[in-house]
Amino acid sequence: MPQSGLQGLFSLFVVFAAAKVGEEIFERLGQPPLIGQIVFGFLVGPAVLGWVTPSSTLDFMSEIGVIFLLFETGLDTQPEEILHHGVTSFMVALIGVLTPLLVGWWFALAAGENAVTARFVGTLLVATSIGITAKILEDFGATHTSFGRVILGAAVLDDILGLLALSALSSFSSAHPHIVNLLLTLGFAIAFFLLVLLLRHAAVPRVSGRIGRLRSRAPIWSMALVVLLAFSVMSAEIGMAAIIGAFLAGVFLSEREEIAVPLRQQAGAVSSFVVPFFLATIGLRVSIHALSSPRSLYLLAAITGIAIVTKLVACGLSALPLGRRSALLVGLGMIPRGEVGIVVAAESLRIAAIPQSFYSIGITMAVLTSLIGPMLLRLFLRPERRPVPAA
């Protein structure tokens, strides 16, 4: 094997092994395993041990990993969840998106950052992690409580609005974006979302029945991969990130449980191999130097504080019709930025106008909120281990 090929294979081995060790350790500690994968990627990277450096091989595996990560998120997303306590979920999501977006945007401008960076900071603070909060609710048997349903419904809307904001971010990549291009991007993005949501009920049952009769191996999984790649390509073609198409492919195929259940198992098997490369590579690129200056530490502390307070206050106040305690739990449940925040932070590397330090700041903020939010939620859920299910 050529030396370059051997080096690439060694990098894959080290990064994957480190990610899996981190995942196991954080799982045992009761913390989000995706954080463990990022942390251990950071440890084997240039900032600490220096065993692995970023490379085109790792970048490619990372791209595949993030596509499957968003595909899995889509498969676990049921838009129908929003119908339970729909008005409350909608208000929690809408106000919980606009508040951190505007406050983060204003703060970055007030701190002297350029207009593009300010938009990025606002976008970074928007989304809530469905996966992390859902796992905590499940652990405490709170998934089907009134506040649990509101959190999950709002998190679904949060992800959709967050991905729409991400699709607009590329149109904001200059200090003076062309308003027509921005409106076209948003128009295409909204149309794409609506088309997928409308077609999923009509198309999936018909197509899956016919494909299920094919004699090729795993025809439903093959169809899912075709849909995943097609949606990713279409998303990129209309000016959005490919990962948005991957998310929508998952939502599209989640319509029927008899299809979604085996697809989740198969996607989970693939994701267990490729997603660690995305998460560990994220950690690999975090720079201690970028966070070592007093200004960077100030920005990190301020942005993390804004991320926590805006979600807690905005979402909590929006959920007050459920009662004070439930409103507090909703606010706490919406704090973790998790995988979507990490994806948005990674997009900063593609936009030249955003200083490199904001990549490390964004990743660290997503990690901190994904640790602090679940700890606080567990603390307040503990006295109520057996919540009363919603009627």
Side-chain angles (χ1 to χ4, degrees):
M1 178 179 291
Q3 187 64 29
S4 59
L6 182 60
Q7 186 176 2
L9 192 59
F10 176 74
S11 296
L12 293 178
F13 159 68
V14 171
V15 168
F16 183 76
K20 286 300 178 180
V21 170
E23 178 183 20
E24 181 65 23
I25 290 174
F26 271 63
E27 188 76 65
R28 288 172 181 267
L29 293 174
Q31 300 301 325
L34 67 87
I35 304 301
Q37 297 185 45
I38 295 170
V39 169
F40 273 70
F42 170 72
L43 292 177
V44 299
V48 184
L49 296 175
W51 292 351
V52 182
T53 56
S55 66
S56 57
T57 302
L58 287 174
D59 286 345
F60 174 75
M61 293 300 295
S62 178
E63 289 284 345
I64 300 297
V66 71
I67 282 175
F68 271 91
L69 175 63
L70 269 295
F71 179 58
E72 264 199 303
T73 302
L75 283 173
D76 287 330
T77 299
Q78 291 291 338
E80 290 77 13
E81 285 284 347
I82 302 166
L83 298 178
H84 297 286
H85 304 281
V87 174
T88 306
S89 292
F90 178 77
M91 292 306 297
V92 168
L94 184 62
I95 297 176
V97 162
L98 290 177
T99 303
L101 174 68
L102 295 175
V103 173
W105 192 334
W106 168 82
F107 167 76
L109 287 175
E113 299 298 331
N114 63 56
V116 179
T117 302
R119 295 164 193 145
F120 163 75
V121 171
T123 305
L124 180 68
L125 299 177
V126 164
T128 292
S129 169
I130 295 176
I132 292 173
T133 300
K135 178 68 167 60
I136 298 167
L137 293 174
E138 183 182 336
D139 289 345
F140 282 86
T143 303
H144 298 293
T145 59
S146 57
F147 67 82
R149 285 176 175 172
V150 167
I151 289 172
L152 293 177
V156 170
L157 280 169
D158 249 24
D159 268 8
I160 292 172
L161 294 172
L163 290 172
L164 282 172
L166 178 59
S167 71
L169 188 60
S170 59
S171 298
F172 281 153
S173 58
S174 64
H176 305 286
H178 199 290
I179 190 65
V180 174
N181 290 340
L182 173 60
L183 292 175
L184 282 174
T185 299
L186 282 174
F188 281 133
I190 293 169
F192 196 7
F193 271 92
L194 293 177
L195 185 63
V196 168
L197 293 177
L198 289 172
L199 288 180
R200 66 195 292 266
H201 294 294
V204 173
R206 295 181 182 179
V207 174
S208 61
R210 295 177 182 176
I211 290 179
R213 294 194 292 269
L214 297 177
R215 297 183 181 181
S216 60
R217 187 176 179 182
I220 299 295
W221 177 237
S222 299
M223 174 198 73
L225 291 177
V226 169
V227 171
L228 169 60
L229 294 173
F231 278 34
S232 299
V233 170
M234 285 189 288
S235 182
E237 282 293 320
I238 62 177
M240 300 187 297
I243 54 172
I244 298 173
F247 173 80
L248 287 174
V251 173
F252 182 74
L253 294 168
S254 70
E255 197 274 336
R256 310 259 324 243
E257 275 299 299
E258 61 268 29
I259 297 172
V261 170
L263 283 182
R264 287 186 195 113
Q265 295 172 344
Q266 291 162 315
V270 176
S271 293
S272 68
F273 175 63
V274 295
V275 172
F277 290 108
F278 167 66
L279 295 171
T281 301
I282 288 291
L284 203 70
R285 292 184 180 276
V286 172
S287 168
I288 293 178
H289 176 71
L291 296 174
S292 61
S293 70
R295 178 171 174 78
S296 293
L297 291 175
Y298 159 70
L299 289 171
L300 172 60
I303 290 172
T304 303
I306 291 170
I308 293 170
V309 173
T310 52
K311 283 287 186 184
L312 179 60
V313 173
C315 297
L317 290 176
S318 302
L320 274 177
L322 301 176
R324 291 184 180 180
R325 178 176 175 76
S326 292
L328 173 63
L329 293 171
V330 169
L332 293 172
M334 299 297 286
I335 288 174
R337 296 313 193 269
E339 61 276 10
V340 181
I342 289 164
V343 168
V344 175
E347 287 295 305
S348 69
L349 295 175
R350 304 176 188 271
I351 302 175
I354 300 174
Q356 288 279 322
S357 60
F358 274 87
Y359 170 78
S360 296
I361 290 170
I363 294 298
T364 308
M365 181 278 297
V367 168
L368 289 174
T369 56
S370 299
L371 292 172
I372 294 169
M375 283 193 294
L376 292 174
L377 187 58
R378 283 191 179 99
L379 179 66
F380 283 91
L381 276 173
R382 200 171 299 281
E384 272 186 24
R385 281 184 173 275
R386 294 181 181 177
V388 180

